[in-house]
Amino acid sequence: MRIATWNVNSVRQRLGHLLDFLKEAQPDALCLQEIKCVDADFPRREIEEAGWQVETHGQKTFNGVAILSRAKLEDVRRGLPGDDSDEQARYLEGVLPLGSGVVRLASIYLPNGNPPNTEKYPYKLGWMKRLAAHTRMLLAHEEPLVLAGDYNVIPEPRDARDPAAWVSDALFLPQTRSAFRDLINLGLTEALRATTDDAGLYTFWDYQAGAWQRNNGIRIDHLLLSPQAADRLDGVQIAKHVRGWDKPSDHVPVMVELRAA
DNA sequence: ATGACAACAAAATGTTGA
């Protein structure tokens, strides 16, 4: 089973790329972030005609997540629990068949948190705490679980071309990295780091200053696996070439392959 | 400290992102 995640930076702007990527990669499920539209404006028909089912958790203008899947997504949860006053659409979860069992899958758009001296940063850290609390509950099911998305976290210096440029940034501050480790330490496996120690593997290149041309990237899109999912891990791919397409998203898709057995 | 791009809402610039 192939599960992918991609921050598309507006699904309506990226519909052509999205259909091209689905056709090329043939994922069983694709988690989307930053769809930047309400549910009613999601280009559902075009995607369904291509053979994928659609669940959305949208929001006007900003944020918004979705899950596209070959099989119907069951037991759908919209929104991250733990704060009823949080109106930002950043979390969507559901269950898909995997072999004779199931996999639980979440599409995550973790807050950016910049600038750190504003209320945006405590919101990010609070959101990470809520994600950890919810994850602890999900892990108790002892089933395959994949938390996929744009975490807005650079885990380590090797995950940035120029780590010094990020030391005061909400994506790389010690507290951010510590909260990310706290999440991993619940018992999750970061898929890419389970397969390679290589530096220079990025998932985001800024639109500005020729970041793509200079390969000035960062790795902030991650798939975190429960033990039962990690046991099935068969490979991880970053679809780097997608950043070279015409009018691309600033993020590229990341995919994991899970054995069904 | 700032923001060269890009997207959005809107009608000119301002906000947000990473």
Side-chain angles (χ1 to χ4, degrees):
Chain A
M1 177 183 212
R2 184 168 303 151
I3 297 176
T5 180
W6 190 13
N7 179 325
V8 287
N9 187 16
S10 170
V11 70
R12 289 178 293 180
Q13 288 295 319
R14 225 64 63 197
L15 180 58
H17 285 194
L18 177 56
L19 293 170
D20 287 347
F21 175 72
L22 286 169
K23 190 169 184 180
E24 164 189 301
Q26 293 291 324
D28 296 283
L30 171 59
C31 298
L32 298 175
Q33 299 88 37
E34 283 208 87
I35 63 174
K36 292 189 171 179
C37 65
V38 295
D39 294 346
D41 291 335
F42 193 92
R44 168 182 290 273
R45 183 179 54 78
E46 294 89 337
I47 293 166
E48 287 177 344
E49 283 175 357
W52 276 268
Q53 309 205 35
V54 176
E55 290 287 348
T56 59
H57 181 42
Q59 178 181 339
K60 184 182 164 77
T61 312
F62 303 119
N63 310 319
V65 288
I67 298 179
L68 316 182
S69 54
R70 287 295 199 190
K72 180 174 168 53
L73 194 71
E74 305 281 1
D75 199 13
V76 175
R77 171 188 286 276
R78 287 181 174 75
L80 183 66
D83 181 358
D84 292 340
S85 70
D86 184 2
E87 294 180 350
Q88 301 189 28
R90 297 177 173 276
Y91 186 90
L92 177 64
E93 173 196 313
V95 172
L96 291 170
L98 173 59
S100 57
V102 296
V103 58
R104 187 173 296 266
L105 176 62
S107 181
I108 288 169
Y109 180 44
L110 204 146
N112 173 306
N114 280 309
N117 63 345
T118 66
E119 72 289 344
K120 289 172 186 289
Y121 193 55
Y123 173 68
K124 175 179 191 152
L125 293 177
W127 206 94
M128 294 179 84
K129 258 196 174 339
R130 286 161 57 201
L131 179 60
H134 185 57
T135 299
R136 191 177 293 112
M137 189 272 288
L138 294 178
L139 284 169
H141 294 152
E142 300 192 345
E143 285 182 342
L145 168 70
V146 178
L147 305 177
D150 175 1
Y151 281 76
N152 274 314
V153 173
I154 303 167
E156 299 180 87
R158 60 179 166 172
D159 298 312
R161 174 63 175 266
D162 182 11
W166 297 94
V167 290
S168 301
D169 193 285
L171 279 62
F172 194 55
L173 282 172
Q175 275 190 88
T176 304
R177 296 170 56 196
S178 174
F180 187 70
R181 286 193 300 273
D182 287 345
L183 185 62
I184 301 276
N185 288 343
L186 295 173
L188 297 169
T189 295
E190 207 239 284
L192 186 107
R193 285 297 170 223
T195 64
T196 178
D197 290 323
D198 290 352
L201 300 171
Y202 309 131
T203 64
F204 170 91
W205 295 260
D206 201 293
Y207 289 121
Q208 302 182 65
W212 167 244
Q213 288 75 12
R214 295 163 41 214
N215 194 28
N216 182 18
I218 52 178
R219 194 173 70 87
I220 56 175
D221 299 87
H222 310 296
L223 295 104
L224 306 189
L225 312 179
S226 70
Q228 295 77 14
D231 284 346
R232 298 162 183 262
L233 182 61
D234 230 2
V236 183
Q237 282 183 288
I238 299 173
K240 183 176 180 179
H241 65 286
V242 171
R243 187 62 178 78
W245 289 353
D246 188 45
K247 302 266 183 203
S249 169
D250 38 9
H251 297 249
V252 297
V254 186
M255 286 177 282
V256 296
E257 194 76 37
L258 300 181
R259 287 185 296 270

